[in-house]
Amino acid sequence: MTKNENENVNGDVDVDVDVDGDVNENAGRPALTLVIGGRGKTGRRVVERLRDRGDAVRVGSRVGEPAFDWDDPAGWGAALEGVDRVYVTFQPDLSVPGAPDLIGALASAAVAAGARRLVLLSGRGEESAELCESRLKVPGAEWTVVRASWFDQNFDESFFLDSVRAGEIALPVADAVEPFVDAGDIADVVVAALTDDRHVGRTYELSGPRLLSLADVADELSKATGREIAYVPVSAEEYRAVLRENGLPEEFVELFTVILDGRNAHLVDGVREVLGRAPKDFADYAREVAATGVWDV
């Protein structure tokens, strides 16, 4: 579970192509990057960073023109036309049945269309995600894999926004610790992988700079917001009921319990390895987001 990209496509504009960018010497035109899930947590940040570089970008979504929909492979050709690089995020999660086959089919289609550079957002410590990674590595692909676990932004852009506002975060785990990673750091690594040949054929694991329990997270959020936010462990069945009430897949119970079973309870150095700097700390993230007012009640 790529924690959690949640690349649902919302917004007024769904496909954009900038005309400036690095020149593709073979075609005599600017290099073009397709960002799949370009309105999600990491995707929109990748789009912003590529545009800041002056690169050409196409934002792939189900409602764009041309559309990109994981469930409609027949339509991929139009989205891939003229594309040189692809940032691959999968909705809803790499653990779902059929994801490896779709990743492999996309990689083959991209290479056949002329897009050699492929960067996949994957999950740390997930066997199902590793199978998807293997399917990305088709002949002719210049691939890079970026593995991340829980995003900081899950608390303001996704699952737990309403929980933070309500002052209570409930999950079916107790003492697990996680090296929460910032989506901005992930995006910086992805852009480097898309645009720098030194990262071809590499797999990078990313984390934040320290391990935090969910109680620690609640404490940092309390400090940032100036009000009490508590972490409350619940049973799997209690959480399953919450997911049902909110129209979310009940399978997320298993994903949360598996991912937070300690397999990722260690720091890794991928951010520094790629970017030459330390990753953002959760406390800095919390202060920055609190200043926007998104958690105000």
Side-chain angles (χ1 to χ4, degrees):
M1 185 177 190
T2 54
K3 301 328 122 222
N4 289 287
E5 182 61 5
N6 194 27
E7 302 287 1
N8 294 325
V9 285
N10 297 303
D12 296 324
V13 182
D14 297 288
V15 172
D16 302 297
V17 180
D18 291 346
V19 296
D20 299 321
D22 297 334
V23 172
N24 182 318
E25 294 180 357
N26 295 325
R29 58 169 174 76
L32 174 61
T33 302
L34 172 65
V35 178
I36 297 174
R39 296 191 175 278
K41 295 185 195 69
T42 67
R44 67 178 177 80
R45 290 171 169 86
V46 169
V47 169
E48 291 167 358
R49 284 156 173 76
L50 289 171
R51 286 177 173 165
D52 285 346
R53 284 171 42 93
D55 287 9
V57 182
R58 176 176 293 155
V59 180
S61 81
R62 290 174 294 183
V63 296
E65 183 60 45
F68 181 90
D69 186 342
W70 280 110
D71 294 326
D72 182 23
W76 295 352
L80 288 166
E81 185 175 358
V83 167
D84 304 285
R85 309 177 295 211
V86 185
Y87 176 43
V88 183
T89 65
F90 187 82
Q91 168 71 17
D93 191 85
L94 291 175
S95 66
V96 302
D101 290 341
L102 287 169
I103 294 292
L106 175 71
S108 295
V111 170
R116 302 292 182 179
R117 186 67 53 86
L118 308 178
V119 179
L120 174 69
L121 178 64
S122 187
R124 286 185 63 200
E126 297 180 45
E127 292 80 3
S128 56
E130 291 174 12
L131 178 57
C132 292
E133 295 171 11
S134 70
R135 299 293 181 85
L136 183 79
K137 302 171 185 178
V138 299
E142 299 174 351
W143 58 266
T144 307
V145 172
V146 177
R147 293 176 179 166
S149 189
W150 276 67
F151 298 177
D152 294 348
Q153 282 71 18
N154 286 343
F155 296 97
D156 73 293
E157 297 181 17
S158 186
F159 296 102
F160 304 114
L161 171 59
D162 290 340
S163 297
V164 176
R165 287 174 173 166
E168 182 177 289
I169 301 169
L171 273 173
V173 292
D175 300 324
V177 293
E178 177 74 17
F180 295 88
V181 63
D182 194 81
D185 287 339
I186 299 171
D188 286 340
V189 170
V190 168
V191 169
L194 286 167
T195 60
D196 190 331
D197 292 347
R198 291 177 297 178
H199 304 298
V200 171
R202 301 291 303 275
T203 297
Y204 296 109
E205 294 203 358
L206 312 186
S207 77
R210 60 186 171 124
L211 294 170
L212 297 170
S213 68
L214 288 165
D216 295 329
V217 166
D219 183 58
E220 292 290 358
L221 294 172
S222 298
K223 293 176 184 176
T225 59
R227 57 188 178 83
E228 184 177 357
I229 297 169
Y231 168 61
V232 179
V234 296
S235 71
E237 285 309 310
E238 288 172 321
Y239 196 65
R240 197 182 305 276
V242 171
L243 292 171
R244 274 197 304 269
E245 291 171 6
N246 289 276
L248 295 171
E250 293 182 37
E251 292 79 6
F252 281 179
V253 172
E254 284 71 30
L255 286 171
F256 287 141
T257 54
V258 167
I259 292 160
L260 291 171
D261 67 357
R263 67 183 62 197
N264 291 326
H266 60 279
L267 303 180
V268 289
D269 207 27
V271 172
R272 186 177 295 279
E273 185 178 1
V274 176
L275 304 176
R277 62 165 176 80
K280 178 180 285 188
D281 189 79
F282 188 89
D284 296 324
Y285 150 79
R287 283 192 295 269
E288 291 174 9
V289 172
T292 70
V294 71
W295 291 322
D296 290 352
V297 294

